[in-house]
Amino acid sequence: MSLLHEPHHDGSPLYLEHEAPTLGWTVKVRVRTAASDPVDQVWLRTTYDAEPVYHACGPVERDEHTVWWEGELPVHNPVAHYRFLISTGAGTPEEDQRWLTAAGVHRHDVPDTFDFRVSTYPSAPDWGRDGVVYQVFPDRFARSAAADERPTPAWAVPAAWDDEVVFEGSDPRTPTQFFGGDLDGVVEHLDHLEQVGVSVVYTTPVFPGESNHRYNASTFDGVDPLLGGDAAYARLSAAVHERGWRLLGDLTTNHTGDTHEWFRSASSDPASPTRGWYYFNHDGSYECWMGHGTLPKLNLADPDLRAAMVEGPDSVVARWLRPPFDVDGWRIDVANMTGRLGAVDVNHDVARAVRRTAEAERPDPLVIGEHNHDASGDVDGDGWHGTMNYSGFSWPVWSWVRDPASPARPFGRPLPVPRRPGPLVLRTFREWLARFGWRAASQSWNILGSHDSARIRTVAGSPEVHRVAAGLQFTLPGVPMLLAGDEIGLEGVLGEDSRRPMPWDRREEWDHATLTAYAALAAARRDHDALRRGGLRWAHVDDDCFVFLREHPHGSVLVCARRAAGPAVELDAGLLGFGDGSPVLATEGDAAPLVEAGGTVTVPASEGPGVWLWRV
C-alpha cells in the first residue's frame, strides 16, 4: 500500500510555524498534497470557544510533484484543535470532500477527538525530548562491594546475584526476594550506559520500603540505607551530571506504604493531623491501590497533604530537586490514578502542582506520568509533559513483532497480545498519535517494556525481530526508554520476571549484536534532527513491512522496518523528495545506497527481518 500520495500535515517544523505559540497568536499551518491529486480548495476548520469556524488556505508552492497549501490558525484557546477540509471541486459532494485529521484522510465525518492540536503551554525541556532514557531497577542492576557490609533486613529473602528470580504473584517471595543492588553499583557501570548512548538515567524509587521494588515507601525524607543512603544518591547525581546527563527520580503520589510515618500516625490515632491524608472508612478500613493493603491511597484533595507532597518548596516534589541530589525531574507512578477516587478527581490539579513546583526549583525539569491506557486527557496542558506510552507505542509494536509461540504474558489484559498485520498496526499508530497530539506524543516515552511488563526479547522471540522493535523505538516520534538489559537481550515473561539481575560477570551470554544495534540507533538519533524533531509521513505499509519518512528542514531520513523477509518496495522519488540516498545504518547486514531510476526509488528486498535507514 503506497501512501506518499495522501494529503499530509503534522506538528513538526515543516508543517506548523510555532510548536508552542502564545495565546492570541495566529500561526501558519501547511498542508502537502500530491500534484496528481486535483485539489482546488483547502479549508482550515478550527473551534472558536467550541464553535466550528473555517478559514481558507491557499497554494504557496507548486512543482511537478507536490503542492503546498498554507493557512492561518488563530490560537484563541489554550489548546487549539483543527483539521482540514479538502475539495477537488469535481463530482458530487460525496465524492469530492475529504477530511484530513491527525489520524489520516477520511471520506466521512469523524469526531473531533482525532483533530490536530496546538498547545500554548510550554514544551518539555530539550534534554527530555532529545535524550535516550535508561531505566534502572536498583535492587537488580549492580551491587557494589559496600553492599556486602550491610545487614539483610528482616522483611527480605536474600538471593545470590545469579539466582533465578521469583516472579509469580502467588509466591510471597516475589516482592521480598532481595539481591542487594545499590546506587554505587550504578555509578560503577555508567561507562556501559555511555556505550549504549544513554543521556537520562531513570531509577525506580530509592526511598525505603519493605520490598525490592520500594513503591511502598516508609518515608520520603531519605534514601534507603540498603542503597547506600543519601550520600550514595548524591554520588550518583554528581557522576551523572559530570557526564552532561540528567537524573530522573520516581515518585508515587498516589499512595505510600503502610509503614510510612504519615500512615502509621493516621491509622493509630483518628485525631492525627495526617488522618485526612488517607481515605478511612467508618469501620477503620481504608482505600488502597488495587486492593493491596500495603499501599494505602493518598487523599490529594486534602490541602495539607498537597503542601507536604506536591505544592511549594517544602514538598517532597521540591526537596529532591535541590542539592545535594539535584534530581532533574520526576516520573510519577500510576499518574493516571493520582487524585482520583470515585467522584473525587483532582488529577489535573495535582499534575499542574507537580509541574509548577518543579519549575520553581529548576529551570528545565521534566515530569512524566505513568499511564498504560488512554492518557490523552492528561497530557496536552500544563501538567505531565508526556507519558510512558504503552497504548500508542508498546502495544502496537508488540502486536506487530510478537512471536505466536512467545510465553510473554500480556500486561493488564486477560488475553494474549494478538499478532496483527501492518495496515492494522498502522491504523493503531495513527489513531493514538492523533489522540495524544503531536507534541505530547513526541514528548512521551517509546517503551518496548518496563519493570512492569514482559521483555521485548521474549515478546519478539528472536534477536533479529527484537532489533526491529528497537529500530521503531528510536525512529518513530517519541523518546526511547530502555529497561536495563534490553540492550543485551535479557528476557522475562512478565514484569517481575523482567527484573533479572544484570549479568555483569557473564558477558559471554550477552547479545553483543543487539548491543551494537542499540548504540548505532542512539547515535543516529543524536546525529539526525529528523529522528528527534522531524515529521512523520508514511510511505508504504504491508503486512510485514513499514516504510516511513522523518522530515526536517535540516535533512530527512527514510526508514524501512521489516518483521519478515519481503520483496522490494518502489517509491515515487518526487513525492518522497528524494535527493541523497546514502545509508545511515542497518540492524542486519549492510545498507546499500538508494538510487533513483526513472522517477522511482527502490527499497531493496530482504531475506529476513531488519531495519534500514537512509538520508533522503
Side-chain angles (χ1 to χ4, degrees):
M1 183 191 302
S2 177
L3 302 169
L4 286 172
H5 64 283
E6 289 187 342
H8 183 74
H9 172 85
D10 59 45
S12 68
L14 284 175
Y15 298 91
L16 180 65
E17 181 183 21
H18 294 287
E19 172 182 88
T22 298
L23 188 64
W25 281 12
T26 297
V27 298
K28 294 178 181 178
V29 295
R30 287 158 60 95
V31 173
R32 176 200 296 265
T33 64
S36 59
D37 187 352
V39 175
D40 76 338
Q41 291 184 83
V42 175
W43 292 86
L44 168 68
R45 195 211 79 171
T46 185
T47 50
Y48 191 95
D49 297 334
E51 179 68 17
V53 293
Y54 290 81
H55 303 272
C57 302
V60 291
E61 295 180 39
R62 182 189 300 268
D63 61 27
E64 59 182 310
H65 308 290
T66 302
V67 181
W68 285 90
W69 303 76
E70 188 174 283
E72 293 189 338
L73 171 68
V75 184
H76 176 69
N77 302 108
V79 179
H81 293 246
Y82 63 101
R83 63 169 68 183
F84 299 94
L85 179 61
I86 297 173
S87 170
T88 63
T92 65
E94 293 78 10
E95 299 168 336
D96 168 55
Q97 296 179 18
R98 291 168 287 171
W99 290 111
L100 172 61
T101 74
V105 180
H106 315 273
R107 291 190 176 275
H108 65 286
D109 292 337
V110 291
D112 290 8
T113 189
F114 292 143
D115 278 2
F116 300 104
R117 68 193 69 178
V118 60
S119 174
T120 61
Y121 299 109
S123 303
D126 287 346
W127 66 265
R129 299 181 66 181
D130 295 338
V132 174
V133 183
Y134 193 85
Q135 182 187 27
V136 170
F137 190 85
D139 184 59
R140 312 290 166 83
F141 185 70
R143 183 181 172 101
S144 75
D148 295 336
E149 307 301 320
R150 301 180 190 121
T152 301
W155 58 261
V157 178
W161 199 254
D162 292 334
D163 284 356
E164 289 189 8
V165 169
V166 177
F167 62 84
E168 294 292 359
S170 58
D171 192 320
R173 297 172 297 168
T174 295
T176 60
Q177 189 182 30
F178 179 72
F179 287 84
D182 60 3
L183 296 174
D184 285 319
V186 181
V187 174
E188 291 170 2
H189 290 88
L190 292 181
D191 285 348
H192 171 75
L193 276 63
E194 185 164 4
Q195 179 185 359
V196 177
V198 170
S199 61
V200 181
V201 179
Y202 152 51
T203 72
T204 55
V206 299
F207 304 113
E210 289 75 24
S211 67
N212 51 42
H213 55 72
R214 297 182 172 87
Y215 283 99
N216 56 335
S218 58
T219 184
F220 296 122
D221 290 340
V223 173
D224 194 335
L226 296 171
L227 295 175
D230 290 4
Y233 199 38
R235 286 192 292 272
L236 174 61
S237 177
V240 165
H241 290 120
E242 283 171 7
R243 294 172 182 259
W245 302 350
R246 301 294 184 129
L247 179 65
L248 203 65
D250 195 332
L251 180 64
T252 302
T253 52
N254 180 71
H255 54 263
T256 66
D258 62 344
T259 60
H260 197 286
E261 61 257 29
W262 297 348
F263 184 75
R264 295 178 68 163
S265 173
S267 60
S268 63
D269 180 6
S272 167
T274 64
R275 182 78 173 186
W277 295 13
Y278 297 89
Y279 293 95
F280 284 94
N281 302 315
H282 293 301
D283 62 359
S285 63
Y286 52 88
E287 297 291 338
C288 50
W289 181 77
M290 302 299 287
H292 293 277
T294 58
L295 302 173
K297 185 175 176 66
L298 289 165
N299 174 17
L300 284 152
D302 186 290
D304 291 335
L305 172 62
R306 293 260 280 268
M309 192 73 181
V310 299
E311 290 182 339
D314 297 325
S315 66
V316 176
V317 166
R319 293 199 311 269
W320 292 87
L321 305 187
R322 297 195 290 265
F325 308 111
D326 279 319
V327 175
D328 293 288
W330 294 106
R331 176 263 193 188
I332 302 298
D333 183 49
V334 289
N336 53 309
M337 299 183 74
T338 290
R340 288 177 170 142
L341 180 67
V344 175
D345 188 347
V346 293
N347 183 271
H348 291 294
D349 293 337
V350 173
R352 293 185 189 104
V354 171
R355 182 161 161 186
R356 185 170 58 245
T357 299
E359 289 173 343
E361 296 295 333
R362 303 189 70 85
D364 57 352
L366 178 69
V367 181
I368 293 289
E370 182 195 18
H371 206 307
N372 70 2
H373 58 108
D374 189 349
S376 57
D378 295 342
V379 292
D380 60 0
D382 52 354
W384 323 126
H385 287 112
T387 183
M388 300 177 75
N389 195 1
Y390 288 106
S391 293
F393 183 81
S394 310
W395 306 151
V397 172
W398 276 28
S399 69
W400 193 56
V401 303
R402 183 180 184 272
D403 179 354
S406 171
R409 303 182 194 176
F411 177 34
R413 61 180 70 186
L415 297 175
V417 174
R419 181 176 169 89
R420 293 189 172 112
L424 194 56
V425 174
L426 173 60
R427 180 175 177 179
T428 310
F429 278 139
R430 280 180 155 173
E431 290 186 359
W432 279 105
L433 180 59
R435 191 79 178 99
F436 278 33
W438 177 265
R439 197 181 77 183
S442 298
Q443 296 174 172
S444 292
W445 287 355
N446 289 348
I447 54 178
L448 294 172
S450 72
H451 70 290
D452 285 328
S453 77
R455 288 269 187 178
I456 185 58
R457 172 57 64 89
T458 304
V459 173
S462 77
E464 295 80 11
V465 178
H466 173 182
R467 293 191 283 269
V468 171
L472 293 174
Q473 182 179 34
F474 280 81
T475 59
L476 285 172
V479 180
M481 189 217 81
L482 290 62
L483 172 60
D486 282 350
E487 72 278 11
I488 59 172
L490 288 192
E491 296 210 35
V493 301
L494 81 172
E496 286 77 7
D497 187 31
S498 296
R499 303 170 190 179
R500 301 181 188 184
M502 285 285 286
W504 297 111
D505 295 331
R506 304 194 310 277
R507 294 183 184 241
E508 70 280 0
E509 299 176 5
W510 291 17
D511 180 353
H512 291 279
T514 296
L515 175 59
T516 298
Y518 270 91
L521 287 163
R525 189 174 186 274
R526 181 184 64 243
D527 294 343
H528 292 84
D529 291 343
L531 297 178
R532 291 178 282 107
R533 300 300 182 101
L536 173 63
R537 190 152 58 101
W538 296 96
H540 169 89
V541 61
D542 59 45
D543 284 359
D544 299 322
C545 177
F546 290 118
V547 182
F548 55 91
L549 189 66
R550 297 299 308 275
E551 298 177 295
H552 192 274
H554 296 162
S556 299
V557 175
L558 185 70
V559 180
C560 174
R562 298 180 185 271
R563 70 177 182 183
V569 174
E570 294 186 346
L571 303 174
D572 185 302
L575 291 177
L576 191 63
F578 186 76
D580 188 340
S582 59
V584 174
L585 68 82
T587 62
E588 312 300 325
D590 297 319
L594 295 179
V595 296
E596 178 183 355
T600 297
V601 173
T602 300
V603 176
S606 171
E607 296 181 356
V611 175
W612 297 266
L613 278 66
W614 298 269
R615 298 177 183 87
V616 294

